[in-house]
Amino acid sequence: MEAALKLDPAVQDFVRAPFRKMLIDGKWVAAASGKTFDTVNPATGEVLARVAEGDAEDVERAVRAARRAFDEDGWASSKPAERTRILLRVADLIEKNAAELAQLETLDNGKSINESLNVDVPAAAGTFRYYAGWVDKVYGQTIPSDPAFFNFTLREPVGVAGQIIPWNFPLLMAAWKLGPALACGNTVVLKPAEQTPLTALRLGELLQEAGMPDGVVNIVPGFGPTAGGALVKHPQVDKIAFTGSTDVGKEIHRETSGTLKRVSLELGGKSPNIVFADADVEAAVQGALMGVFFNQGQVCCAGTRLFVEQKMHDEFADVLAKHAGGMQQGPGLDPSTQVGPLVSQEQLERVTGYLDIGKKEGAKALIGGERNTGKGFEKGYFVKPTVFTGVKNDMRIAQEEIFGPVVSVIPFKDESDAVLQGNNTFYGLAAGVWTRDVSKAHRVARAIRAGTVWVNCYNVFEAAAPFGGYKQSGYGRELGSYSIDLYTQVKTVWMRI
Ligand code: NDP
């Protein structure tokens, strides 16, 4: 099966290059080792493009460039209007090249072209535009003090930021990280995920076209333990911003204790999506579907534990399974596709492994429950949308992040039981609540221990609204004014009058 969509010639050129180079100090260069790695089209299992494989030596070059751009070249002290102009231009260029970026993202990640084109790419542009607006609004304070002194604070950039991003929203995560860092005057070394380096590299070209000075943004594709690890350990990197698994987040937390660099971690989740019997059921079904099957379930805040009030549990699960079974699965480039392939062979094995675990634990797959190897799907990494019932909240499939199109429907007795079970996880990234009772919605939103709670909606994001985790879902908040806190530090100045 191949997609109906015609590939943009620019996309064809981009993937056909002998290999894509990395961006260091304004130049596109090969890895110092000369090594490359393959990135694969998850819909076909075929090699899509070859990419320079950065490691410690390349990270060293990139950090040196970022350091110089920060310490000597004056990005941090450039006129705010100039930084705003460049960031706005980046947003415009993302929009101008939206079709190309969306196709690249879909080819590399597998997600549906509708998601790439209508969600990821516009949100990436919107993030740069939002932070362009922040550049000249990062204020210090004038502090009332002993009249013998003038006391004020300056908000200064942190310095060189190492940013490590995952494969589930490659372009958007790059925007979430770069937008605020650059607005505040930091310089950056960005490491995209090995599975999906292409849109970050294309974004690097757009940053240059927008007039970003050399060395301000360096992009080093490569593997986690090598390129990522070198960035985490580097003494000249002032801050690490990481999105990915909780295990790697903990490793970064440990590694950075040696240099005490600042760290923000956006990690995994096992989010409760709670449906009360008084909810608008049709809206809740749609919200539950979108909450778990969007991006094939490869979403840190996916509503994978779907708690449904006992008296309507069976009926709700049946309707959900019927809808899930009707979702169109196919290659992301096919505009009719709703559920594409998983990102990689590794992720396919992880998710199908959990399907087996779930069945062994006694869960029942009302729909799906297996890999899709139908005609045209044989070589891709497709897993059928899966609805499990008979799940108890202490089973592994209800406690561990699966990161695939798999939802566990779990009954609850009443409000306090919903909150108790909902909070019974070491994660705390997000939650959903579906009810027509406003007071109940407020009570549950307060009682749930998670960084985001959606009431009668799910997966709503704005660049202005903070996002991040409670408990082992990480620390630090991205987006909104909170990212400005992540990328600035406060200096107190005392002047004798
Ligand atoms: P990882 O946490 O391994 O990858 C995320 C990023 O971290 C990638 O850029 C990766 O590089 C990099 N990385 C990996 N190891 C290190 C390290 N030791 N030091 C520095 N950087 C490192 O996630 P996986 O891709 O392995 O996915 C595994 C699971 O993680 C998923 O099934 C899901 O449960 C969770 N996950 C959560 C995400 C979220 O949004 N919170 C996003 C992605 C995954 P590289 O890929 O090049 O090796």
Side-chain angles (χ1 to χ4, degrees):
M1 176 184 304
E2 217 9 280
L5 197 75
K6 199 167 170 294
L7 272 189
D8 189 315
V11 172
Q12 296 185 7
D13 289 348
F14 197 86
V15 297
R16 275 187 198 146
F19 71 99
R20 299 304 325 175
K21 295 180 176 172
M22 61 182 84
L23 179 61
I24 297 181
D25 208 2
K27 292 174 194 64
W28 291 94
V29 296
S33 67
K35 284 193 205 159
T36 60
F37 66 99
D38 293 337
T39 180
V40 167
N41 177 347
T44 61
E46 288 163 7
V47 173
L48 174 62
R50 191 155 290 155
V51 177
E53 184 191 320
D55 61 23
E57 204 174 332
D58 306 290
V59 167
E60 178 59 39
R61 289 192 289 167
V63 172
R64 233 182 288 138
R67 203 67 260 172
R68 196 210 58 240
F70 185 79
D71 293 332
E72 298 166 31
D73 296 355
W75 173 248
S77 56
S78 58
K79 287 185 180 163
E82 179 58 9
R83 291 210 298 282
T84 300
R85 194 187 65 77
I86 293 174
L87 291 178
L88 286 176
R89 181 116 175 83
V90 173
D92 290 345
L93 284 168
I94 290 173
E95 282 169 353
K96 187 173 159 205
N97 294 280
E100 181 197 341
L101 285 164
Q103 288 189 4
L104 262 187
E105 196 76 311
T106 287
L107 279 171
D108 211 8
N109 167 280
K111 64 176 66 197
S112 83
I113 190 70
N114 289 325
E115 272 178 43
S116 297
L117 194 58
N118 300 319
V119 180
D120 295 32
V121 174
T127 304
F128 277 103
R129 195 164 284 129
Y130 173 80
Y131 282 106
W134 263 104
V135 174
D136 55 3
K137 294 165 195 71
V138 181
Y139 301 118
Q141 295 175 330
T142 307
I143 299 167
S145 65
D146 183 328
F149 299 92
F150 180 51
N151 182 204
F152 63 97
T153 60
L154 296 170
R155 257 187 184 260
E156 298 184 334
V158 175
V160 172
Q163 304 186 322
I164 300 171
I165 57 172
W167 42 259
N168 51 348
F169 295 90
L171 179 68
L172 185 56
M173 288 303 106
W176 279 27
K177 301 260 182 294
L178 288 171
L182 297 172
C184 296
N186 300 275
T187 58
V188 174
V189 179
L190 176 81
K191 194 204 85 66
E194 79 201 44
Q195 299 85 349
T196 56
L198 297 184
T199 47
L201 295 173
R202 181 70 184 108
L203 178 63
E205 294 179 344
L206 299 180
L207 290 164
Q208 290 187 301
E209 196 179 332
M212 194 65 73
D214 291 351
V216 171
V217 177
N218 306 274
I219 303 175
V220 181
F223 298 113
T226 49
L231 204 46
V232 169
K233 289 188 194 84
H234 203 294
Q236 295 295 318
V237 172
D238 300 294
K239 175 186 165 52
I240 293 290
F242 171 78
T243 300
S245 62
T246 293
D247 284 347
V248 173
K250 287 178 182 175
E251 199 177 321
I252 289 174
H253 180 92
R254 281 191 296 272
E255 280 290 347
T256 48
S257 68
T259 50
L260 285 185
K261 52 177 64 92
R262 290 172 161 222
V263 178
S264 49
L265 301 173
E266 200 266 90
L267 309 176
K270 198 71 194 176
S271 299
N273 193 7
I274 301 170
V275 184
F276 288 97
D278 64 3
D280 174 341
V281 173
E282 186 47 38
V285 168
Q286 292 305 325
L289 287 167
M290 202 263 284
V292 80
F293 298 129
F294 178 67
N295 206 26
Q296 293 67 247
Q298 300 167 131
V299 182
C300 48
C301 53
T304 47
R305 291 184 304 143
L306 182 63
F307 292 101
V308 180
E309 196 160 346
Q310 206 154 37
K311 55 186 156 191
M312 63 175 220
H313 168 275
D314 293 357
E315 187 194 338
F316 194 93
D318 285 343
V319 173
L320 189 77
K322 193 157 168 270
H323 278 81
M327 291 181 91
Q328 180 78 26
Q329 188 154 46
L333 278 185
D334 183 337
S336 66
T337 288
Q338 293 172 294
V339 182
L342 299 177
V343 73
S344 63
Q345 175 73 30
E346 189 185 357
Q347 200 58 21
L348 174 71
E349 285 166 13
R350 169 187 285 259
V351 173
T352 49
Y354 274 110
L355 296 177
D356 293 342
I357 289 169
K359 289 174 203 160
K360 283 195 193 114
E361 286 180 309
K364 179 182 170 201
L366 285 187
I367 194 83
E370 58 185 2
R371 181 178 179 181
N372 189 342
T373 50
K375 193 164 163 15
F377 293 93
E378 304 91 335
K379 293 189 180 149
Y381 311 134
F382 295 90
V383 168
K384 294 180 182 173
T386 297
V387 176
F388 272 132
T389 54
V391 180
K392 294 204 175 55
N393 195 39
D394 58 0
M395 289 181 177
R396 282 186 66 191
I397 56 164
Q399 287 294 320
E400 297 174 18
E401 189 172 49
I402 299 175
F403 233 59
V406 183
V407 63
S408 294
V409 190
I410 306 171
F412 67 88
K413 286 199 290 291
D414 54 21
E415 189 180 319
S416 62
D417 184 35
V419 169
L420 194 72
Q421 292 201 64
N423 281 335
N424 187 4
T425 162
F426 65 77
Y427 291 115
L429 194 55
V433 183
W434 298 83
T435 176
R436 286 191 169 96
D437 179 338
V438 177
S439 300
K440 194 194 286 177
H442 277 283
R443 283 195 303 272
V444 176
R446 284 175 189 220
I448 288 291
R449 296 189 63 211
T452 296
V453 179
W454 288 292
V455 177
N456 295 329
C457 57
Y458 210 90
N459 277 343
V460 187
F461 287 89
E462 291 272 353
F467 184 76
Y470 279 33
K471 301 194 271 183
Q472 292 189 33
S473 290
Y475 48 77
R477 291 289 176 276
E478 295 192 296
L479 299 182
S481 62
Y482 292 82
S483 263
I484 303 298
D485 294 337
L486 295 182
Y487 288 100
T488 54
Q489 51 196 345
V490 174
K491 179 182 281 172
T492 306
V493 183
W494 290 91
M495 295 177 72
R496 186 178 287 283
I497 293 175

